[in-house]
Amino acid sequence: MDGIGIRQLVRDMGKKLLAAGLVLGTWGNVSARLDKKRMVITPSGMDYLKIEPEDIAVVDVETGEWSGPRKPSTEAPLHSLIYKARPEVGAVIHAHSVFASTVAACGKDIPAVLEEVAQVAGGPVRVARYALPGTKELACNAVEALEGRNAVLLANHGVVAVGADLDEAFLVCQVVEKAAMVLIYGTLLGGVRLLPEGDVAELRRFFTEKYLAGRTRGDQDSR
Ligand SMILES: [Zn+2]
């Protein structure tokens, strides 16, 4: 995809996050991999409804150098480090959704309370150690806690979701938010029952081998 096409998709995803209530105001940010060395990312502090594809900055993930009329998001170092650490990741969404942020504010992980947590996030979603937003430390802590998963909670802050593309990262975001809600409401009802560890691995294996592989062939299985 050419640079302007992917920047349009990133712009559209920002609007989608806002409409879904996963971000408020100008918080949160969206990026997609442009090529091996570069990503495109939403600008810093700009209203999602006013962003044009041209406002989406192009950033070198190795050097942090950027081009475009607007300064990239302050969380660009976090996105860059994820692309460097995880070659299979094609898109990153950082949201400040309410239920995921609540669990993150309690410093807790989201265990496998639902099958989707295993299937889509790859297992329990860990909370990364706290660091100030926009810092290298935050990026390092997040990448460490993201290992083997498609999502990570940022303590007292929000959630980061990754995927092969923007649609997958958005799905991860939605699943984490739902699981966080189920965890909180389930605790009010006396506590959730967790999926057995072996089943978590099996659910993930089935999802990646059958569902995601099938999706690329166009014959989706809705299990
Ligand atoms: Zn944030």
Side-chain angles (χ1 to χ4, degrees), residues 85-161:
R86 298 278 294 268
E88 84 285 10
V89 168
V92 178
I93 294 176
H94 167 45
H96 285 197
S97 51
V98 174
F99 289 100
S101 296
T102 303
V103 179
C106 295
K108 292 182 183 299
D109 299 344
I110 300 175
V113 292
L114 297 170
E115 291 175 338
E116 297 103 299
V117 175
Q119 292 165 325
V120 175
V125 179
R126 304 179 197 100
V127 60
R129 281 173 290 129
Y130 181 79
L132 286 169
T135 59
K136 186 92 199 294
E137 189 186 1
L138 176 95
C140 290
N141 293 352
V143 166
E144 185 184 10
L146 184 64
E147 188 182 1
R149 302 286 187 271
N150 285 337
V152 60
L153 298 178
L154 305 180
N156 304 89
H157 184 161
V159 56
V160 178

